[in-house]
Amino acid sequence: MEKKEMIYEGKAKKVYSTDDENLCIVSYKDDATAFNGLKKGTIAGKGAVNNRMSNMIMKLLEKEGVATHYVEELSDRDTVVKKVKIVPLEVIVRNISAGSFAKRYGVEEGIEFTEPTVEFSYKNDALGDPLINSSHAYALGLATKEEIEKKKKTALKVNEVMKKYFYTLGIKLVDFKIEFGKLPDGKIILADEISPDTCRLWDLKTNEKLDKDRFRRDMGGVEEAYNEVFRRLTNE
Ligand code: ADP
Ligand code: UDP
């Protein structure tokens, strides 16, 4: 399968059309942004880590009964996926307080929740991806009530599968963001990526951050953190 035309260039990936109108190729870049694009940089090797990690996780989720866009890994950075219309609702699951949760409610990072939380953001760069509740998402026609419930349920299932898996790698899954997309027949599947760009991952013993917060917060050791996650995933 080959790339035809670039149909979209985002902050972290390019999306290409293919000869099959139902499939596209995503190509992962080393570019990194934070704070809605205000902070820009590159993280050497990130594209390859994110591509391969995302594919490994999507395959694991498929095995556990979660439908995803994953089709075939072409190379270090390129993957064939089912083409979907992205639902502009980002679903965020949290197991431990961090990031915008800690800031919004004035609590420290690292509080382990009794139960995971689920929230939605309206995927809209111009507005800075604002937090949105279910009734507002429904009012805006972003999803039906059934679709909203299904997304919450699937997000919690994704959390259970990933949490267990990362634990075996000595990693705490703090929080993550996922996106869903619609196939031409209306079926909703998991799309986009699951990587250290979209998850907070802390070392089980030391709580060392192994994710994009190292870039957001200028902590140093950014490439090393991505490589460490990859090393644990592949046992290399
Ligand atoms: P952003 O748009 O936030 O800058 P990226 O750089 O990751 O993000 O760009 C990739 C774009 O492709 C995103 O908008 C994402 O929603 C979209 N996308 C992800 N998976 C698919 C898919 N299977 N089909 C179509 N679009 C997808
Ligand atoms: N996240 C993401 N994309 C976004 C916003 C958040 O992938 O546009 C991820 C982020 O990496 C973290 C989780 O979602 O793992 C929760 O992020 P939070 O709401 O705390 O926001 P942030 O601190 O990133 O602003």
Side-chain angles (χ1 to χ4, degrees), residues 8-66:
Y8 179 81
E9 175 159 16
K11 297 184 286 283
K13 302 191 284 299
K14 294 177 183 172
V15 184
Y16 295 87
S17 61
T18 67
D19 285 329
D20 185 333
E21 61 177 6
N22 294 314
L23 300 176
C24 50
I25 294 174
V26 289
S27 188
Y28 285 71
K29 307 190 284 183
D30 286 350
D31 297 351
T33 62
F35 313 118
N36 200 27
L38 279 178
K39 183 180 168 75
K40 290 193 176 75
T42 44
I43 300 173
K46 172 173 85 83
V49 170
N50 287 10
N51 178 45
R52 296 195 52 196
M53 167 166 165
S54 199
N55 294 341
M56 289 176 73
I57 302 284
M58 298 257 180
K59 280 191 241 181
L60 173 68
L61 289 168
E62 286 276 356
K63 255 198 246 158
E64 299 288 339
V66 178

Side-chain angles (χ1 to χ4, degrees), residues 11 34-36 90-94 96-104 109 119 121 123 125 128-129 131 173-179 192-193 195-201 211-213 216-217:
K11 297 184 286 283
F35 313 118
N36 200 27
E90 300 186 336
V91 190
I92 294 169
V93 179
R94 301 177 192 272
I96 298 174
S97 67
S100 69
F101 182 98
K103 200 169 163 211
R104 183 176 317 120
E109 297 200 309
E119 75 205 45
S121 292
K123 185 173 157 71
D125 279 341
D129 298 344
L131 183 70
L173 177 63
V174 175
D175 58 28
F176 64 90
K177 180 269 299 180
I178 48 178
E179 294 180 21
D192 202 49
E193 69 176 278
S195 71
D197 275 13
T198 65
C199 303
R200 284 196 171 90
L201 305 167
D211 57 60
K212 196 169 143 187
D213 270 348
R216 292 188 188 98
R217 303 178 189 187

Side-chain angles (χ1 to χ4, degrees), residues 197-212:
D197 275 13
T198 65
C199 303
R200 284 196 171 90
L201 305 167
W202 293 357
D203 181 82
L204 196 59
K205 292 202 188 96
T206 65
N207 281 337
E208 189 192 356
K209 295 186 198 307
L210 299 171
D211 57 60
K212 196 169 143 187

